[in-house]
Amino acid sequence: MKKLSLILLSLSLLNATSLKTMLESIENNEQLKAKNYETLSKEESAKSVKYKYYPSATLQVGFVSFDYDRYIINPNNLTNVSVAIDALIYDGKRNSNINLAKKNHELSQIELEKAKNELEFNLASLYYSYLALMENIEYKEQNLKYLNASLSRLENLNKVGLRPNDELEIFRAKVELNKSELNNLNYQKDEILSNIYLITNNNFIPTKGSAIIYEDSSNKSYDIKINSLKEEMSELNKDLSLAPFKPTIFVKNIVGFSKNNFNYSLYAPFDMIVKERVKEKMFSNIFMLGLSWNVFSFGADKKAYESAKLSNLAAKEMNIYSKKSVSEKEKLLIQKIASIQEEINANEKLLNASKIAYESIAKKYEAGLVGYVEYLNSLETMQGALAKLSLSKAKFEISKAELLLAKGIIIKDFVIDL
């Protein structure tokens, strides 16, 4: 059993990881990989839109067979090869289409950066939540030892009639309650480790020693960037809605070669005359300059433009709101961080005071100078003070990470090892 415990301890130490190391492993996350593939897809799509406006060449090969009719001079069959070159000169939306595809790729890149930083924030939250939880588990286990020791002493005293049965039963119930609470905390610990694994694909166990630096720099909010790009894209869509009011001009050139295969014996005795008159090989070159213009559509094009204008106005309003929202969120987070710092100071004082009070009451309880109610209350007060302090410290670091996320700053770059 001792050997097994040593093995488990060794494995835990091997997996003990700082926040910075955990953040570096986010690249393994499947959601992030999927988002990266989407971004690469948008990049290729943008190239496709650009190349679509380059001239294109189409090769056509055909074989045609004719039914026999001796009164009509037709070949038995013919083979045809042609190459058509198409070029779009003007369609009223070339630049808008190309720029829209580029903006769509840029949008995907920013969304990828945001998704990565959100995963970093989630991982930081799990890291500090785990550390706070472990402190509570350790303290709960220590309290359970205190209670078990007190219960053992109480059982001995009860046997000789120096302590009442109701006090003994309350202590037994208190021990069971603490065991239940400890089991619940251990479940929460396993849940956090499971979520860390889902993000990193590693069985990391957070270890103390990492902190987040507060960065008071300019705001580079992802939401502002995203909404600004969406506004630009809505402008381009508005331009595209005007394209039906403009002509489409194109050029086409078709170069063809045909080989006619005749069965001259069918036209005997005039086969020699037919042979002199018909052509077995034919070459053609067709050049076309075309213009297409939709001059009437019952107002459909106009309505499409009005719709695009309204979408553009909506995008403008959302952009204005996002700037206001991000600014307000930043102010509130800065206030929150300052408030939590004061909360930590207060909880540290409360914990020191509750420890002193517990030690005093514990000695008095053992001497029989105070009742079990006061003893249990002091123990709970000390445990509650530690839980509050652990939670405050976790909230402090998580709030700093949240501020970095809100400002569009990569969290990993501002994590330090203490």
Side-chain angles (χ1 to χ4, degrees):
M1 184 69 184
K2 187 176 181 181
K3 190 175 181 181
L4 178 61
S5 298
L6 287 171
I7 292 171
L8 291 172
L9 180 61
S10 300
L11 289 172
S12 296
L13 291 173
L14 284 172
N15 290 329
T17 315
S18 67
L19 177 57
K20 202 170 188 68
T21 302
M22 288 168 63
L23 291 173
E24 287 171 354
S25 67
I26 280 182
E27 300 294 339
N28 297 325
N29 183 267
E30 292 85 359
Q31 289 176 309
L32 201 61
K33 286 180 180 178
K35 194 68 182 173
N36 187 49
Y37 285 131
E38 286 178 16
T39 303
L40 292 173
S41 173
K42 295 287 176 65
E43 183 180 11
E44 294 303 314
S45 179
K47 291 177 182 177
S48 171
V49 171
K50 182 180 178 181
Y51 295 157
K52 187 182 76 172
Y53 285 97
Y54 289 178
S56 64
T58 306
L59 174 66
Q60 290 183 327
V61 179
F63 176 82
V64 181
S65 179
F66 296 96
D67 291 334
Y68 166 66
D69 187 341
R70 66 174 298 156
Y71 298 107
I72 300 174
I73 301 175
N74 275 335
N76 277 18
N77 55 69
L78 68 85
T79 304
N80 175 268
V81 178
S82 66
V83 176
I85 298 174
D86 296 272
L88 182 63
I89 305 300
Y90 178 80
D91 66 350
K93 53 186 177 183
R94 180 199 301 262
N95 291 335
S96 295
N97 269 331
I98 292 172
N99 289 332
L100 186 62
K102 286 180 180 177
K103 295 294 180 185
N104 200 24
H105 176 228
E106 288 177 32
L107 179 63
S108 186
Q109 284 181 311
I110 294 171
E111 288 175 341
L112 173 63
E113 291 173 14
K114 182 183 179 183
K116 185 178 179 181
N117 217 18
E118 283 176 342
L119 280 176
E120 290 188 0
F121 171 71
N122 291 338
L123 199 54
S125 299
L126 291 168
Y127 172 85
Y128 288 110
S129 296
Y130 179 88
L131 295 183
L133 193 62
M134 285 306 298
E135 283 190 8
N136 278 280
I137 287 173
E138 289 170 12
Y139 203 73
K140 181 71 74 174
E141 289 173 341
Q142 188 62 44
N143 280 358
L144 199 55
K145 287 181 183 178
Y146 292 156
L147 285 171
N148 279 323
S150 297
L151 178 61
S152 178
R153 176 177 170 276
L154 191 59
E155 285 174 337
N156 292 330
L157 292 173
N158 178 259
K159 286 177 183 177
V160 295
L162 296 177
R163 280 289 188 275
N165 289 332
D166 62 334
E167 184 176 350
L168 179 63
E169 292 304 318
I170 287 174
F171 261 83
R172 283 174 177 167
K174 199 69 177 175
V175 168
E176 292 303 315
L177 180 62
N178 269 259
K179 285 180 180 178
S180 174
E181 290 174 350
L182 185 59
N183 287 336
N184 184 48
L185 290 174
N186 278 310
Y187 169 77
Q188 292 178 41
K189 177 194 74 173
D190 292 340
E191 191 174 29
I192 289 173
L193 291 176
S194 174
N195 286 327
I196 289 173
Y197 171 75
L198 287 174
I199 293 175
T200 64
N201 279 318
N202 286 290
N203 293 308
F204 288 140
I205 297 174
T207 184
K208 291 180 181 179
S210 297
I212 294 173
I213 305 171
Y214 168 67
E215 175 65 14
D216 188 16
S217 63
S218 59
N219 200 309
K220 304 171 186 175
S221 168
Y222 296 113
D223 289 336
I224 291 177
K225 289 179 182 178
I226 287 170
N227 281 291
S228 295
L229 265 175
K230 285 182 176 179
E231 183 182 342
E232 291 176 27
M233 290 169 72
S234 70
E235 286 281 358
L236 291 169
N237 277 317
K238 189 173 74 171
D239 293 341
L240 283 172
S241 68
L242 290 170
F245 296 100
K246 300 171 184 177
T248 299
I249 303 171
F250 60 92
V251 171
K252 189 166 190 174
N253 193 60
I254 304 172
V255 179
F257 173 79
S258 299
K259 175 70 168 64
N260 297 317
N261 300 306
F262 291 90
N263 185 355
Y264 294 109
S265 62
L266 295 174
Y267 306 103
F270 306 105
D271 51 329
M272 294 305 294
I273 298 172
V274 171
K275 194 171 185 179
E276 289 176 1
R277 297 291 180 90
V278 299
K279 288 185 177 181
E280 292 186 356
K281 296 180 180 179
M282 297 180 66
F283 174 80
S284 63
N285 185 19
I286 303 170
F287 177 79
M288 182 189 303
L289 174 63
L291 181 144
S292 172
W293 201 338
N294 180 13
V295 294
F296 182 69
S297 61
F298 290 96
D301 297 334
K302 185 178 179 182
K303 291 299 179 184
Y305 175 68
E306 291 297 327
S307 174
K309 275 207 309 183
L310 291 170
S311 295
N312 179 240
L313 289 172
K316 286 179 185 292
E317 293 298 327
M318 285 304 299
N319 194 16
I320 292 169
Y321 174 78
S322 70
K323 290 175 181 177
K324 184 171 65 174
S325 175
V326 166
S327 176
E328 289 301 310
K329 185 174 184 179
E330 183 182 343
K331 289 177 189 175
L332 289 172
L333 282 171
I334 291 171
Q335 291 177 13
K336 182 181 179 182
I337 290 168
S339 174
I340 295 173
Q341 181 63 70
E342 293 176 2
E343 184 182 311
I344 290 171
N345 296 335
N347 283 327
E348 284 176 343
K349 292 177 182 177
L350 177 63
L351 179 60
N352 290 333
S354 63
K355 281 182 178 178
I356 294 169
Y358 169 74
E359 289 169 2
S360 174
I361 291 172
K363 289 177 183 177
K364 290 178 182 178
Y365 175 69
E366 289 173 4
L369 299 176
V370 296
Y372 66 89
V373 175
E374 289 179 76
Y375 172 74
L376 292 176
N377 284 342
S378 67
L379 188 62
E380 285 183 4
T381 300
M382 184 170 63
Q383 183 181 331
L386 177 82
K388 286 181 179 178
L389 179 59
S390 299
L391 182 61
S392 296
K393 287 180 178 179
K395 283 196 303 181
F396 184 65
E397 298 298 330
I398 292 170
S399 296
K400 287 192 287 183
E402 188 179 2
L403 179 60
L404 292 174
L405 175 64
K407 296 178 75 169
I409 299 171
I410 297 171
I411 295 170
K412 182 177 66 176
D413 295 344
F414 292 88
V415 174
I416 59 168
D417 294 327
L418 300 175

